[in-house]
Amino acid sequence: MTAADTEPQPPVWLRFAKKIFKFLLSQWLIIGFGIACVLAYFFPHVAAHGGTIRSEYSILYGAVAFIFLVSGLQLAPAKLKQNLMNWRLHALVQGISFVIFPTVVFAIFHICIAAGALESGTPSIPVLVGLLATACLPTTIASNVVMTRNAGGDEASAVISVVIGNVFGSFLSPLLIYGFMPTGGVFEPWRPAGPSTLGRMYADVAKQLGLSVVLPLLGGQVLRWTWEANVVKALNLLKLPKLSAFCLILLVWTTFSGAFETGALFKISKSSIVWTIFMNIALYLLFTLICFLSARPPLTLARLVNPMIADSKLGRRLPRFLRRIVTVRQMCMEETIAVCFCGAAKTTSLGIPLVAAMWAAADDLTRAFIQIPVLLYTIEQVFVAQLLVHVLKWYMRRREKHQSESETQVDTEHEEH
C-alpha cells in the first residue's frame, strides 16, 4: 500500500466546493459583466458619458487602445500582413454585416408592421427605427477581437476586419439608414435629418479609430518587430491578454451606465424592451449561424455546386481570381471563428455618435429611445459571445481529438500492412 492510498481524502463537500470555485473562476468574465451591470444600475453617472471618470475618454479611448496594443504585441507582423490580403474572409464579413443583416432586419421591420405593431405599440416605433439603425452598423471594435482570441480563432483576421468594417462603415452606415428608413405617415417624425449633420460625426469616428485602434496596433507591431523575445516574455509574465479581456468589463460598464443614465429604459414600454431583448438574442444567434455556414458550407454543397460552376468548362476558362470567387470551399476553423464573431456583431462606438448626429434635430429623449436597440444589442452580444467562446472551444477540441484518432488509426493500419 502506497503513502497516497493511506492519506485521508478530503470530505465530499470540500471537493465539491473546490469544483464550484474552479468553475466560477473560469467564468470570471461573465461574473465581471454581471458586476458591471449592477454598478451601472446603482451608480450610472460614474461611467456614463460626461460622468465622474469621463468614460468617453478613459474607457472608449484608453481601454480600447489597450486591447489593440495587446493585439499588436501578440500578432506576428507577417501574420497581420498575410491576413490583410485575405479578401475572401473580409468580403464575407462585410457582406453579412452591410448587406444580409440590414436586409433581414428590414424584412422583420415590415413583418412587424403587417402584424399590427403600429396599433399595439409592441414593438414601438422608436424601437423599430433603432433596430433598423443597428442593422446598418459595422462590426464592433473591441469585443470580437478578444472573443476570437479567447476561442482560439484567427485574431489577425478579426483585427483587420474591424479596421476595414469601421472605416467603410463610417460612410456606408448613414447611406444604408437613409435608404432603408421608410418615409411618410407615422414614420416621418422619426426620420433622420439631412446628411449635412454628419460632418462632426465623421471627424469623431476618424479620431477614435486612429487613436484607439490604428496607433496602438501599429505601436504594438513596432515593439513586437523590434524586441520580439522580450515582448513574448512580457505578455506571459504580466498576463496582458487577461488584462485586455478585463477591459471588456469596462466597456460593458460604460454601455450599461449610458443606458441607465438617460432613463430611457424606464420610460419606454416594458413589452417593447422584452421584445427587443429576445429579438436581439435571436438575431445574434441567427447571424452567427449564417456566418458559420457561409465560412464552412457543407461539403455536400461543394460537391454539388463546384462541378456545375467552378469546375465546369466555362468555369475553367475564367481568370483565376474569378474562379476562386465562385468556388465553394470551407475556411479553416480559426478563420471561421473570426467570421462568426465579426459578422454578427455591431458597434456602439459608431452607433451612438451616428444616431446622435443623424437625429441631431430631435429632442434628447427621442434620441435615447432610438439608441436603446443599439445599446441592448451591443450589451447582449458580449454576453452571448462569451457563451459561444466555450461552445467553439469545445467544438475545436472535439474536432482535434477526432482528427488525432483518425491519424492514429491510419498509422496503425500502415504498420499492420
Side-chain angles (χ1 to χ4, degrees), residues 110-125 128 186-187:
H110 283 282
I111 289 171
C112 290
I113 293 173
L118 299 181
E119 291 77 19
S120 65
T122 304
S124 61
I125 294 175
L128 286 173
V186 294
F187 291 102

Side-chain angles (χ1 to χ4, degrees), residues 170-182:
S170 302
F171 301 94
L172 271 179
S173 293
L175 297 177
L176 289 171
I177 292 173
Y178 285 126
F180 280 107
M181 196 65 66

